[in-house]
Amino acid sequence: MKKLFLTVLAAGMTTVAFCQKTFILSHQDKKGFFSVAAGTSLPIGQYASCESADGQACMAGQGIAFNVATGYRIAGPVGLMIRGEQHRNTVNTSAMLSALYRNESDVWTAKADNWSVLSVMAGPYISIPMGLFSIDGRLLAGRALAVLPNTAMAGTFGTTEMSVKTTGSQSTALSLGGGVTLRYRLGRSTALNLNADYSRADFIFNNLTSTATNGAVRSESLVYSSHRLISVVSVSAGVTLLFGNSFRPF
């Protein structure tokens, strides 16, 4: 009976010690992180504008956003991070047709590729722990690559078949952004993250052409450039891997 009691007591003490260890490690401060997330891309400003009179209106619609980030705190709550993000946004083809002058009886269709913006930015961030939660704030700058989509419209004007096609292009520009992350600790090395970010870049797309057909007649514009300001808000969620503390690197 005594041996059984000692065995149960030892097992209980081992369980308590393991639980204490798990609790301590799950609350142990981590200096670095690597995160991945996906969510919704919401265009704003001229990027979302569908005003036909605005030559810089991008007519972008809601899309998807992906991001990866890594960072390390170097002085208390302040650290440095690098973040890559991609946005893919649709084009509002209904707005394209609304900007076209035509008779009510004319039937027109429009199609377009997607907008694509890829950015890599770096900068400082600050992390504020709150138990199992933490809040990060960041200000970033870097470079962005944008793809202006090809567009096409086709239909009739009276009895004459017509079409208009515009080529796309690529451009790079300075990208600025900022955002916040709410992180919830699941264990000693994993967490869930919820992110809200804003970014913008001012692009100039060169070597653009437009081609129009009117029955058998085909005409092509001279090569031209277009200035587009792309600004977008994204909301995303994902997972985070935590690493590094004052006692050991991982």
Side-chain angles (χ1 to χ4, degrees):
M1 187 68 180
K2 182 178 180 181
K3 290 183 178 181
L4 178 61
F5 175 76
L6 292 175
T7 301
V8 173
L9 180 61
M13 293 178 63
T14 300
T15 301
V16 171
F18 178 79
C19 292
Q20 288 178 335
K21 179 182 178 181
T22 301
F23 177 81
I24 292 171
L25 290 177
S26 67
H27 284 70
Q28 192 175 52
D29 186 31
K30 297 288 187 177
K31 290 188 174 183
F33 72 90
F34 175 81
S35 67
V36 295
T40 301
S41 173
L42 303 171
I44 59 176
Q46 287 182 321
Y47 190 39
S49 174
C50 295
E51 294 293 332
S52 58
D54 184 358
Q56 297 178 12
C58 297
M59 301 184 183
Q62 182 175 321
I64 56 177
F66 304 94
N67 64 75
V68 296
T70 185
Y72 196 82
R73 297 200 333 263
I74 56 177
V78 180
L80 294 175
M81 67 177 294
I82 183 170
R83 190 172 192 268
E85 186 170 41
Q86 182 171 26
H87 294 263
R88 293 184 64 85
N89 296 89
T90 60
V91 174
N92 189 334
T93 53
S94 296
M96 291 172 55
L97 294 175
S98 297
L100 180 70
Y101 175 78
R102 65 189 192 278
N103 296 320
E104 293 184 0
S105 59
D106 295 336
V107 178
W108 280 75
T109 60
K111 62 180 182 180
D113 297 333
N114 290 328
W115 279 97
S116 177
V117 182
L118 175 65
S119 64
V120 178
M121 295 185 286
Y125 77 98
I126 184 170
S127 183
I128 303 173
M130 299 180 297
L132 292 178
F133 289 92
S134 66
I135 294 179
D136 294 358
R138 54 188 168 271
L139 291 174
L140 307 173
R143 298 294 293 179
L145 168 67
V147 177
L148 177 72
N150 297 300
T151 63
M153 294 185 292
T156 59
F157 189 79
T159 59
T160 304
E161 293 185 354
M162 302 181 67
S163 68
V164 179
K165 296 181 180 180
T166 302
T167 61
S169 180
Q170 294 184 359
S171 178
T172 59
L174 171 69
S175 179
L176 302 174
V180 294
T181 292
L182 176 64
R183 189 174 293 117
Y184 176 73
R185 193 85 169 259
L186 294 176
R188 69 178 185 178
S189 299
T190 57
L192 299 177
N193 63 72
L194 179 64
N195 315 284
D197 286 272
Y198 166 80
S199 61
R200 60 170 285 166
D202 204 352
F203 295 94
I204 296 179
F205 296 96
N206 299 312
N207 301 319
L208 303 177
T209 59
S210 294
T211 303
T213 61
N214 184 347
V217 179
R218 181 178 183 275
S219 61
E220 185 171 317
S221 71
L222 297 175
V223 175
Y224 63 95
S225 299
S226 180
H227 167 251
R228 304 294 177 95
L229 176 61
I230 293 180
S231 51
V232 63
V233 171
S234 65
V235 179
S236 61
V239 295
T240 300
L241 297 179
L242 306 170
F243 61 87
N245 54 56
S246 58
F247 301 105
R248 55 184 182 180
F250 293 97

